[in-house]
Amino acid sequence: MQNFALYITSILVCLGCSSKPTPVSDSRVNDYALFDASGGFHRLSYYNDSKAIVLWVQGNDCPIVRNSLSDFHKVVAEYSEKGFTFFMLNSNLQDHREGIKREAETFQFKVPVLDDSAQLLADALDIKITAEAIVLHPTTREILYRGPINNRLDYETQKNKATDSYLADALGAILKGKQPLQKQKMTRGCTVTRQSKITREEDLTYTRDIAPILEQKCTKCHVDGGIAPWAMTDYETVKGWSSMMKQVLLSKRMPPWKADPYIGEFSNSFAIEDSNARKIVRWIDNGLAHGAGEDILTAIPPITKSWKNGEPDEIKVLKPETLPATGVISYRYQKVTINPNEDRWLRGIEIQPGNNKVVHHIVVTNTERNQKSPITQREQRKWTDNFIALGGGGVQATFYPEGTGVFVPKNTELTLQIHYTTTGKVETDLTKIGLYYHESPPEKEFYSLAPSNTEFVIPAYGKNVHLSVEEPISRDIKIHYIVPHMHYRGKSITFSVLYPDGSKEMLVSVPDFNFNWQRMYRLKDPKFVPKGSTILVEGIYNNTYQNPFNPDPSKELGFGIQSTDEMLIGFFNYTLED
């Protein structure tokens, strides 16, 4: 009640505020995150500048939900303008994205439907019935009201007009600084079958069920010598971090594979399935049982300074770097000259950070090659169109597909762009790169291109600012790798192909873009793109206080090379197929 009083006071004070946005203090607790049925991504703290967040529990084929839609949409229309944020929420085991999307299109839903088919949010909010409205505090996500929209519908009967408007009354009470009346027992809807009631999740154990998931999905980074702040070395360590693990799973901050699981297949994916995330959360909730058998995490070797792909044909040692204890570090650049004796073909590059704790990622570019693109009519951009390797996020090697390579003339100069992070104390780094060459020329050259928008303005405090860039392709190609790229204000980004017949295919969607976790998405099956097609890269930017990575939302932004500026780039690697 004390928290609610403070919340109401802030609303009443804010009624007289200036229109200039101000920071919002957010607990980041219960910061639930879900995809919607259209592939959008919603972390609830993004809406912490709302008066409240309203979730209305939806279920496909539920007659009460369908008949209540007009009532819900009226509330949405009236109270969206008053600062409330609305979602539908589907927690049915039997409903999944495509079916929810069809239901939304058929019945013309006015707000996004969050897909909670793994029921992580249903467990957190104890959802038992559809057609229930749940109103959440915008910064703590505590429940302020739960109950029906009104009293118009009952089982197998309905009125033409409601005589009680419970949800509207609750939202009106919040605006007036009053505690809403709870009406949970009045809700009529279709029962939500809960996984926790039909599966013996209390039998989950660390050794049998949880450690294998952690080994496969997490220990790439959470290992001794890895980039994560702590290592999953054994049961006791995992138990000690379990509360934090639950928090980052519910908010989808971890693991840091940000691609939409419904778009594309990638050979290097370490995304955690919702079913496995549920296993971990339920294991934590049910008491962290150890179980019989060996602890497989104790056998995971630490990261050493050995070369993971064998001894390189050539090794280059970078100049030492010293990093401050804290703060944001601008990109640092170094150049190395390779291949001193003859023209050769690279088959791959491995980066060996001297200090894994501070090396976030490194981009390697070959600025001397491909001054003219073979598939576009423009000159190559020296610093972006010629990237040949990316290391970071626990993956430090870039090897090219079988039968392909990157041509490097004698005495080629490579440029390395290095992104460092701080650890709380002064650190040093001495990174090496290992180069692996073909013994004879490969069948195909492995090219790169980076469609880029360099002329744009993102306004101060701009929310959901849409930018795009198109790149026509003049020859048949196969796309192998894709690296979507933005900076701190980036919210989401997609990489698509517009085909000559007018159709569109999305190859990668990153709806939860995070500057700290930029990935090379390696297509499981290379995508053939015929000449006459156009590459389309689309980005959404959030230059507000609701973006926790934003260094200064009051700044108008344009293109720039530093991370405090902005970019929209769709790096991709390809081979010629004509």
Side-chain angles (χ1 to χ4, degrees), residues 110-394:
K110 305 298 185 185
V111 301
V113 187
L114 305 181
D115 180 4
D116 183 41
S117 53
Q119 295 194 337
L120 291 173
L121 192 50
D123 286 346
L125 300 179
D126 195 21
I127 290 170
K128 298 176 181 177
I129 194 168
T130 65
E132 179 181 51
I134 302 174
V135 181
L136 301 179
H137 188 292
T139 61
T140 68
R141 272 66 65 182
E142 295 173 337
I143 295 175
L144 302 176
Y145 166 83
R146 70 187 307 162
I149 297 173
N150 54 38
N151 67 344
R152 193 175 68 81
L153 284 94
D154 208 323
Y155 296 116
E156 301 182 34
T157 186
Q158 58 180 295
K159 306 173 186 176
N160 288 326
K161 187 176 181 180
T163 56
D164 288 298
S165 302
Y166 305 124
L167 177 58
D169 291 346
L171 302 185
I174 290 172
L175 288 177
K176 294 176 182 177
K178 297 179 180 180
Q179 176 77 44
L181 297 177
Q182 302 299 315
K183 297 291 183 179
Q184 183 175 8
K185 293 181 180 180
M186 303 293 291
T187 303
R188 301 291 187 267
C190 301
T191 302
V192 175
T193 301
R194 293 276 290 278
Q195 186 74 39
S196 58
K197 303 297 183 183
I198 62 175
T199 305
R200 290 186 57 83
E201 293 175 312
E202 65 270 18
D203 292 340
L204 292 168
T205 69
Y206 168 81
T207 52
R208 183 187 64 230
D209 304 294
I210 305 306
I213 301 172
L214 303 181
E215 179 188 38
Q216 183 182 15
K217 303 295 186 180
C218 305
T219 58
K220 186 186 300 291
C221 300
H222 287 272
V223 60
D224 279 336
I227 66 169
W230 64 280
M232 295 183 176
T233 53
D234 53 33
Y235 168 78
E236 291 297 330
T237 302
V238 171
K239 182 174 71 171
W241 283 97
S242 60
S243 293
M244 188 68 189
M245 290 169 61
K246 177 180 176 179
Q247 185 179 122
V248 299
L249 285 170
L250 290 176
S251 64
K252 292 190 184 295
R253 286 163 49 203
M254 289 287 146
W257 180 267
K258 299 297 182 177
D260 183 341
Y262 283 80
I263 305 294
E265 291 187 75
F266 308 100
S267 61
N268 60 328
S269 173
F270 56 91
I272 189 167
E273 302 82 0
D274 280 348
S275 59
N276 282 332
R278 178 179 179 82
K279 282 184 180 180
I280 296 172
V281 170
R282 294 301 294 167
W283 170 73
I284 294 169
D285 288 342
N286 287 321
L288 304 133
H290 185 282
E294 296 182 1
D295 184 346
I296 61 175
L297 297 191
T298 63
I300 296 175
I303 292 178
T304 64
K305 297 304 179 186
S306 61
W307 297 99
K308 305 301 182 292
N309 296 277
E311 190 68 16
D313 298 307
E314 183 178 1
I315 298 173
K316 305 300 293 188
V317 181
L318 304 188
K319 299 173 184 177
E321 298 275 6
T322 300
L323 296 315
T326 189
V328 177
I329 304 174
S330 298
Y331 286 144
R332 297 190 180 181
Y333 293 85
Q334 293 201 31
K335 295 182 178 182
V336 294
T337 300
I338 66 168
N339 192 27
N341 299 319
E342 59 181 339
D343 297 348
R344 300 184 76 176
W345 288 84
L346 273 172
R347 63 183 180 89
I349 294 176
E350 181 177 338
I351 297 168
Q352 190 182 95
N355 186 341
N356 284 306
K357 296 294 183 184
V358 297
V359 178
H360 184 273
H361 73 262
I362 296 178
V363 179
V364 183
T365 56
N366 175 12
T367 55
E368 296 185 7
R369 182 66 177 153
N370 303 332
Q371 297 304 308
K372 182 72 175 179
S373 169
I375 63 171
T376 69
Q377 302 305 311
R378 64 170 175 80
E379 294 293 322
Q380 295 258 97
R381 297 184 183 92
K382 187 175 183 181
W383 303 108
T384 56
D385 284 321
N386 298 288
F387 87 99
I388 60 174
L390 170 67

